[in-house]
Amino acid sequence: QVQLVESGGGLVQAGGSLRLSCTASGSIFRINAMGWYRQAPGKERELVATITTGGSTNYADSVKGRFTISRDNAKNTVYLQMNSLKPEDTAVYYCNANIQRVGVGEYYARVYWGKGTLVTVSS
């Protein structure tokens, strides 16, 4: 099986910083794109940032200039550095990754999700 585990969530005051990490483990042959999503209570899950294998990034307008996504391919890990946090950033943050498992063809790669980590930004 393949598993993604997030860490680094917590409580922080507005204007503060936090770094989230997500590590993939299991019978992994290749990890393609990785990303971070978030979901606030009563709202739809939304894209925060994505990063390709080669390091190309994409950000939601609401976090552009404040958040930075990065990855360490040797560690099967994706990071989200969050600076200048605002109360509206409060949400459960989920990582995901498009992963090809050992023993299957690349056509059968699929997206896996972590269980999420809570980020709470106080006023």
Side-chain angles (χ1 to χ4, degrees):
Q1 63 177 2
V2 171
Q3 194 167 34
L4 299 179
V5 179
E6 302 98 336
S7 63
L11 176 64
V12 64
Q13 291 192 49
S17 298
L18 213 57
R19 190 182 79 153
L20 306 183
S21 299
C22 174
T23 299
S25 62
S27 55
I28 298 170
F29 177 75
R30 181 192 298 120
I31 301 179
N32 301 306
M34 306 183 81
W36 288 95
Y37 291 71
R38 68 185 182 187
Q39 186 168 24
K43 296 185 178 180
E44 296 289 326
R45 187 174 299 187
E46 64 177 352
L47 171 71
V48 176
T50 60
I51 184 168
T52 67
T53 302
S56 297
T57 59
N58 184 56
Y59 298 92
D61 289 340
S62 60
V63 307
K64 197 170 298 181
R66 299 188 298 121
F67 291 9
T68 302
I69 188 171
S70 62
R71 65 191 289 169
D72 186 333
N73 292 331
K75 297 180 179 179
N76 289 342
T77 299
V78 61
Y79 305 94
L80 185 68
Q81 178 65 47
M82 304 183 293
N83 298 325
S84 302
L85 283 163
K86 305 174 181 179
E88 51 262 45
D89 294 319
T90 296
V92 175
Y93 284 71
Y94 301 88
C95 75
N96 77 349
N98 184 277
I99 296 174
Q100 182 184 349
R101 294 181 63 182
V102 172
V104 304
E106 62 180 338
Y107 178 80
Y108 299 98
R110 56 155 287 190
V111 173
Y112 293 83
W113 290 88
K115 297 295 184 182
T117 185
L118 178 63
V119 172
T120 302
V121 184
S122 62
S123 300

